[in-house]
Amino acid sequence: MEHTFIMFEYLVPRAPDAIIALMQQAKADPNPDKIDLGVGVYKDDSGETTIMKAVKLAEKQLWESETTKSYVGIRGYEGFRHGMLDMMLGGEDGKIDSALLNRTASSQAAGGSGALRLGAEIIKSAAPDATVWVSTPTWANHIPLISSAGLKMEKYPYYNRETLGVDFEDMLAHLEKKAKPGDVVLLHGCCHNPTGADLSEAEWDRVADFMLAKQLTPFVDLAYFGLGRGMAEDTYGLRKVVEICPEVVIAASCSKNFALYKERVGLVAIVCKDEATADIARSQLGATQRKIISMPPDHGARLVSNILADADLRKVWIEELTEMRERMRDLRRQLSEALDVQGGETIAAAVKDQNGMFSTLPLSVAQAQKLRSDYSIYMTDSGRINIAGANSENIPRLADAILAVL
């Protein structure tokens, strides 16, 4: 009998992800002096993304002590979940307040992306008509990832490509006019991707009060905490909205601050108004995880848990994290000084003041493409750079090339 229905001939080709395509283009470039500022991973001065010493030590401990590879449960390992909540929301003693813990539902997730998707699924279950508002610009995968849960999405103004700062008043005015009670506002907790332009503490204070008054739910994406200005500074905004707002959704990643990229380690947390609601949210998180991936991976989460729980390992990790953060801040200073000439003053000031791995430079698509074709300098067409892709030796050449195409 002839088989007349061929299912996969109906597939439509899809364009490759822009960042992945840029990474492949940079890799294929034979120029030994190429500079890859595209992919969002931390690199050391030699251009390598190495494994942190604390992670290696934790892996050794785990190898010696682990007795089973059985499942850990649909919401993951409790030690990891509580350790992460302590780190993000802990008080002076380093522990999350017990009352806050009791009204917080949490689940281990497959990376920060998995945490965002779980959060989006819970929002869809609780408020299917809610609109999720995201900054202009935002991380390229935010919109496809969250909208694929069936949620409507809209944008609010955020980054001013002329001043290279946050359009804070426009942001609030837009949400005041357009957002309705029950909507969700996605906020970058720190180290805004792709711009590096963060809210100040005073602005976070206003955002928290605004969210409460407007009856909006903050959805805080905390992907880079510890790599901006310090752990306390980088979690200030999250702590403020949790203090003020009765409900908050949190998506946290361990990819960058523990360099556990391929281990896919993340946490989603739903701060609820009371314990009874948190119990319901826990059941929803478990059921949602079950239908998506069934059980979360454990290895990376166990490493994070062991590092946070062991004073010696935690000390090593904090030292390494501090070294990474200070190196990026020093690279920003060097690039700022190299760009601080006539015509480059605004860019120079912004690069120095911004936080984390990323900055978005005021370059056109044509200028970004010229940097690739003429100088083997790879950044996205939007002008986003990963400062960790540079080093002290190539910063002068990078600055000269940027100034040449302006």
Side-chain angles (χ1 to χ4, degrees):
M1 181 179 176
E2 183 181 359
H3 193 162
T4 57
F5 180 76
I6 307 299
M7 179 187 298
F8 298 117
E9 72 177 354
Y10 294 100
L11 289 176
V12 177
R14 300 290 296 270
D17 180 270
I19 296 291
I20 302 301
L22 184 67
M23 181 174 63
Q24 293 170 342
Q25 187 180 354
K27 188 176 181 180
D29 188 336
N31 186 346
D33 295 324
K34 63 189 174 186
I35 305 175
D36 182 4
L37 307 175
V39 65
V41 298
Y42 178 83
K43 299 176 184 179
D44 62 18
D45 249 8
S46 65
E48 297 296 323
T49 302
T50 58
I51 302 174
M52 297 178 82
K53 299 183 187 72
V55 168
K56 275 294 191 184
L57 292 169
E59 283 186 313
K60 185 173 186 294
Q61 282 187 0
L62 185 60
W63 182 80
E64 292 172 343
S65 63
E66 190 173 42
T67 59
T68 181
K69 293 293 186 181
S70 184
Y71 296 122
V72 293
I74 53 178
R75 291 197 296 121
Y77 179 50
E78 184 180 273
F80 166 75
R81 292 188 281 110
H82 289 187
M84 287 287 288
L85 291 171
D86 285 342
M87 180 169 56
M88 295 186 296
L89 299 172
E92 292 184 3
D93 62 353
K95 298 291 184 181
I96 184 174
D97 177 75
S98 59
L100 177 57
L101 177 63
N102 289 339
R103 63 183 185 89
T104 300
S106 63
S107 176
Q108 192 177 313
S113 297
L116 286 163
R117 180 55 187 266
L118 281 171
E121 292 282 354
I122 299 304
I123 292 166
K124 177 65 175 177
S125 295
D129 295 327
T131 297
V132 179
W133 294 84
V134 296
S135 65
T136 304
T138 195
W139 178 46
N141 208 28
H142 271 148
I143 293 175
L145 193 156
I146 294 171
S147 65
S148 65
L151 288 164
K152 180 183 177 183
M153 302 192 72
E154 297 286 354
K155 298 177 181 180
Y156 61 84
Y158 185 84
Y159 188 62
N160 187 314
R161 287 180 67 93
E162 293 183 2
T163 66
L164 307 187
V166 179
D167 267 337
F168 183 68
E169 299 301 335
D170 285 349
M171 168 187 167
L172 290 193
H174 187 89
L175 291 171
E176 173 68 40
K177 182 179 180 181
K178 301 287 188 179
K180 65 183 184 297
D183 279 357
V184 177
V185 181
L186 184 69
L187 300 162
H188 297 231
C190 66
C191 306
H192 185 275
N193 180 3
T195 71
D198 286 343
L199 300 177
S200 68
E201 292 187 359
E203 288 169 340
W204 273 111
D205 293 346
R206 288 183 60 190
V207 163
D209 290 337
F210 175 82
M211 295 286 166
L212 178 66
K214 187 69 176 174
Q215 299 182 61
L216 302 172
T217 300
F219 190 171
V220 181
D221 184 359
L222 202 62
Y224 304 93
F225 60 117
L227 290 171
R229 297 189 179 277
M231 193 62 73
E233 295 88 341
D234 292 350
T235 56
Y236 177 88
L238 172 65
R239 291 167 184 264
K240 177 57 65 172
V241 296
V242 167
E243 174 192 340
I244 299 297
C245 301
E247 296 180 321
V248 180
V249 183
I250 306 164
S253 171
C254 301
S255 291
K256 279 75 179 178
N257 51 13
F258 287 88
L260 286 169
Y261 301 92
K262 69 180 181 180
E263 300 293 355
R264 310 310 297 134
V265 188
L267 178 87
V268 61
I270 315 290
V271 179
C272 303
K273 66 182 182 68
D274 54 39
E275 293 183 30
T277 308
D279 282 338
I280 297 170
R282 291 183 188 103
S283 71
Q284 285 280 349
L285 281 171
T288 303
Q289 180 111 279
R290 177 68 170 162
K291 72 181 182 182
I292 296 178
I293 62 170
S294 189
M295 305 282 180
D298 178 64
H299 182 75
R302 194 67 61 128
L303 298 179
V304 170
S305 174
N306 288 356
I307 290 169
L308 294 178
D310 184 300
D312 292 335
L313 287 181
R314 189 176 184 127
K315 182 174 183 293
V316 173
W317 171 65
I318 290 292
E319 289 172 352
E320 292 180 276
L321 186 64
T322 301
E323 182 180 324
M324 291 163 65
R325 180 176 66 247
E326 292 306 315
R327 174 176 172 270
M328 287 192 293
R329 297 204 68 78
D330 187 55
L331 288 173
R332 286 185 175 279
R333 178 190 59 77
Q334 293 178 50
L335 182 57
S336 174
E337 290 176 355
L339 290 170
D340 195 13
V341 299
Q342 186 174 358
E345 300 93 341
T346 300
I347 302 178
V351 164
K352 185 177 180 181
D353 290 342
Q354 290 164 357
N355 295 314
M357 294 167 63
F358 303 116
S359 286
T360 295
L361 306 181
L363 301 175
S364 67
V365 173
Q367 289 168 328
Q369 291 175 347
K370 187 173 179 62
L371 285 168
R372 291 199 290 271
S373 62
D374 293 6
Y375 300 93
S376 290
I377 294 172
Y378 291 84
M379 65 181 67
T380 67
D381 284 346
S382 67
R384 189 201 80 168
I385 64 169
N386 172 14
I387 190 68
N391 59 50
S392 296
E393 290 186 3
N394 61 32
I395 285 270
R397 184 163 62 87
L398 171 60
D400 287 346
I402 293 170
L403 291 169
V405 302
L406 284 177

